[in-house]
């Protein structure tokens, strides 16, 4: 089973990255504050209170602390806290940009290397797979030996329903059966739309096995069906993502 | 300090694991059961409804239905499906098949994949499941439905489509 959990995987790695970054910031901050606290332990509380700087005074650098080591320590601490605040602001910005990237991935509008396949490419891929499936069925049919009894019985039943009122406007062009597969080509009255034709065929078909049908705009129907108890050759028609 | 770092790392890993498990669970559980009343008559008699089942009350006409299924797994084919029916006609059977349809622009054609016709057996009040395996056709332009026929009511006993199930896992 193909699991489309790319957004979840991207999100989990982003969360992990944020957590590691936040953890390192937290660690750095703790180290600096703890270190500052160790220095502050050498200063008596009365000294700190007595020497609180005037808030309106100009900022002192560590070189200008003069005779007041406590003031220098506080200034150093303030500057460190400012730096930590700046780093936290950076983290918040980083987180916001990551959220934008996650939103882009989830909406499929991201401009990274994993650009989603266009609708046209998906349809083309699927239609190529359908053509391959039809070729595979034709190949199997060509390789099968003919079961005469089953072929006669199948064609008799087919002619019976084509003659019924329910399938008026449907005419047999050709039929070919092997031992587990049959291919039938019908010409359909152009006044019958493809969707109505397919509905009628599916409902009044003379066979019970699984089928693959192709109705083109010219009124030609190609129908492949397998014998009861047998499966049609299939290929992976899952669209690529 | 180290404890704070370790704690943040563990909690982040736990959150990441939870997200992954949740996403996987959401993708793995893409199977749905629909009530029979979602089926739409396209031919035949007029239906009746009972407890969100759809039935054929006509004593003479068959009822032909299309029962839509939601294709929301754009990259997966239908892996298995079933229709649950109540067959109360003594000789005629409820029968259904599963279909996928695709309008093919490359070949200007309508493509269809039909599962085999499955028929109910006997008659009575026992629920019967008509089932299918894998069906080709995947992608956001493919739609899937079940096509069913319900026989007329027999001596007033009505046959029903009870519900139906499609699994894209």
């Amino acid at each position: 089973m193909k699991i489309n959990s790319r957004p979840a995987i991207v999100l989990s790695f982003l969360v992990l990255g944020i957590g590691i970054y936040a953890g390192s910031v937290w660690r750095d901050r703790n180290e600096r504050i703890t270190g500052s606290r160790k220095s502050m332990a050498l200063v008596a509380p009365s000294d700190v209170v007595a020497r609180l700087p005037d808030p309106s005074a100009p900022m002192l650098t560590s070189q200008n602390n003069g005779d007041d080591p406590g003031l220098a320590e506080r200034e150093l601490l303030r500057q460190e806290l400012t730096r930590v605040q700046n780093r936290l602001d950076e983290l918040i910005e980083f987180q916001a940009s990551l959220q934008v990237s996650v939103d882009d991935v989830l909406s499929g509008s991201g401009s990274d290397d994993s650009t989603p396949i266009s609708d046209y490419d998906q349809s083309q891929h699927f239609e190529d797979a359908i053509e391959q499936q039809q070729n595979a069925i034709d190949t199997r049919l060509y390789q099968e030996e003919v079961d005469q009894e089953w072929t006669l019985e199948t064609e008799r039943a087919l002619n019976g329903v084509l003659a019924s009122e329910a399938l008026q406007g449907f005419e047999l062009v050709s039929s070919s059966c092997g031992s587990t597969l049959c291919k039938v080509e019908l010409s359909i009255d152009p006044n019958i739309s493809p969707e109505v034709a397919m509905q009628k065929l599916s409902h009044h078909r003379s066979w019970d096995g699984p089928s693959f049908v192709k109705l083109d705009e010219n009124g030609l129907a190609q129908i492949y069906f397998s014998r009861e108890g047998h499966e049609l050759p299939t290929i992976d028609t899952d669209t690529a993502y | 300090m180290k404890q704070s770092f370790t704690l943040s790392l563990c909690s982040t890993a736990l959150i990441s694991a939870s997200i992954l498990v949740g996403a996987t669970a959401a993708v793995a559980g893409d199977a749905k059961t629909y009530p029979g009343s979602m089926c739409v008559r396209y031919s035949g008699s007029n239906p009746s409804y009972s407890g969100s089942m759809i039935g054929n009350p006509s004593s003479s006409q068959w009822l032909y239905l299309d029962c839509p299924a939601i294709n929301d797994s754009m990259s997966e084919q239908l892996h298995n499906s079933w229709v649950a029916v109540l067959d109360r006609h003594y000789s005629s059977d409820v029968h259904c098949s599963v279909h996928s349809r695709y309008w093919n622009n490359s070949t200007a054609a309508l493509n269809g994949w039909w599962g085999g016709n499955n028929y109910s057996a006997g008659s009575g009040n026992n629920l019967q499941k008509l089932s299918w395996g894998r069906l080709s056709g995947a992608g956001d332009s493919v739609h899937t439905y079940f096509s069913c026929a319900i026989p007329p009511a027999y001596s007033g006993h009505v046959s029903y489509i009870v519900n139906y199930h499609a699994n894209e896992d």
Side-chain angles (χ1 to χ4, degrees):
Chain A
M1 174 184 75
K2 193 186 297 180
I3 298 177
N4 188 15
S5 61
R6 184 175 69 171
I9 294 172
V10 170
L11 183 62
S12 63
F13 275 110
L14 291 173
V15 171
L16 186 64
I18 293 169
I20 293 171
Y21 185 70
S24 67
V25 168
W26 182 258
R27 179 191 60 189
D28 289 346
R29 191 178 83 164
N30 279 348
E31 281 178 349
R32 292 199 178 94
I33 291 175
T34 303
S36 299
R37 284 181 183 157
K38 284 181 183 173
S39 305
M40 288 296 291
L42 300 175
V43 178
S46 58
D47 290 340
V48 173
V49 172
R51 293 172 185 176
L52 276 175
D54 181 356
S56 61
M59 186 183 292
L60 297 177
T61 63
S62 58
Q63 288 78 20
N64 295 334
N65 59 9
D67 298 326
D68 185 358
L71 183 62
E73 289 288 342
R74 288 194 299 277
E75 187 50 40
L76 189 62
L77 179 61
R78 187 186 307 149
Q79 291 174 11
E80 288 298 323
L81 287 174
T82 303
R83 273 197 283 274
V84 168
Q85 181 63 49
N86 289 339
R87 289 187 69 173
L88 284 174
D89 291 341
E90 288 170 12
L91 176 64
I92 291 169
E93 273 186 45
F94 177 61
Q95 187 180 8
S97 68
L98 286 177
Q99 184 61 50
V100 170
S101 299
V102 167
D103 290 343
D104 285 345
V105 169
L106 290 175
S107 66
S109 61
S111 58
D112 59 354
D113 292 339
S114 58
T115 304
I117 298 174
S118 67
D119 286 346
Y120 174 79
D121 290 336
Q122 289 177 9
S123 297
Q124 191 61 53
H125 173 86
F126 184 51
E127 289 162 5
D128 291 343
I130 293 172
E131 187 180 345
Q132 288 176 46
Q133 182 181 25
Q134 187 172 0
N135 291 339
I137 299 174
D138 278 327
T139 301
R140 163 100 85 84
L141 179 60
Y142 177 75
Q143 292 171 343
E144 279 193 347
E145 290 185 10
V146 178
D147 181 334
Q148 293 288 354
E149 188 179 338
W150 178 67
T151 299
L152 283 173
E153 178 188 326
T154 300
E155 290 178 350
R156 193 180 305 124
L158 176 63
N159 288 326
V161 296
L162 288 177
S164 69
E165 188 178 344
L167 289 183
Q168 268 191 350
F170 293 74
E171 292 191 12
L172 182 66
V173 173
S174 66
S175 69
S176 168
C177 294
S179 54
T180 65
L181 271 176
C182 275
K183 177 180 179 179
V184 173
E185 289 189 331
L186 303 176
S187 170
I188 302 172
D189 184 338
N191 292 323
I192 302 174
S193 63
E195 65 273 14
V196 170
M198 185 169 282
Q199 184 85 300
K200 288 188 174 190
L201 275 172
S202 73
H203 217 75
H204 299 287
R205 54 180 151 153
S206 59
W207 63 93
D208 284 334
S211 316
F212 168 71
V213 183
K214 177 180 168 184
L215 266 66
D216 70 19
E217 58 186 352
N218 300 318
L220 178 65
Q222 293 177 303
I223 306 165
Y224 301 83
F225 58 90
S226 64
R227 192 168 181 171
E228 274 188 82
H230 295 266
E231 296 297 325
L232 279 177
T234 58
I235 60 164
D236 189 359
T237 54
D238 288 351
T239 55
Y241 278 83
Chain B
M1 171 186 60
K2 279 190 180 175
Q3 287 176 350
S4 297
F5 176 73
T6 304
L7 184 63
S8 72
L9 186 60
C10 288
S11 61
T12 304
L14 184 63
I15 292 169
S16 303
S18 300
I19 292 170
L20 271 175
V21 168
T24 303
V27 174
D30 194 14
K32 297 178 182 62
T33 299
Y34 308 83
S37 57
M38 283 182 65
C39 299
V40 178
R41 168 193 174 275
Y42 76 82
S43 180
S45 63
N46 290 319
S48 63
Y49 301 90
S50 176
S52 220
M53 305 185 299
I54 189 168
N56 182 8
S58 169
S59 59
S60 57
Q61 277 189 302
W62 282 73
L63 171 60
Y64 299 95
L65 305 164
D66 284 341
C67 306
I70 295 172
N71 173 21
D72 60 3
S73 182
M74 300 296 104
S75 61
E76 296 289 340
Q77 301 174 7
L78 194 62
H79 281 228
N80 60 74
S81 56
W82 49 257
V83 178
V85 307
L86 282 175
D87 176 4
R88 295 196 173 119
H89 197 285
Y90 85 105
S91 60
S92 297
D93 300 323
V94 180
H95 62 268
C96 297
S97 62
V98 61
H99 294 241
S100 287
R101 227 181 236 209
Y102 176 73
W103 288 88
N104 189 329
N105 286 338
S106 292
T107 56
L110 174 59
N111 291 128
W113 294 265
W114 307 340
N117 276 328
N118 279 339
Y119 298 83
S120 61
S123 68
N125 286 330
N126 52 312
L127 193 71
Q128 299 184 51
K129 280 190 180 176
L130 314 179
S131 59
W132 298 266
R134 189 181 172 109
L135 186 73
S136 289
D140 57 4
S141 297
V142 172
H143 69 272
T144 301
Y145 63 98
F146 298 84
S147 186
C148 294
I150 306 179
Y154 178 73
S155 296
H157 298 291
V158 178
S159 298
Y160 287 95
I161 302 294
V162 178
N163 52 32
Y164 56 100
H165 176 93
N167 186 357
E168 293 176 294
D169 287 341

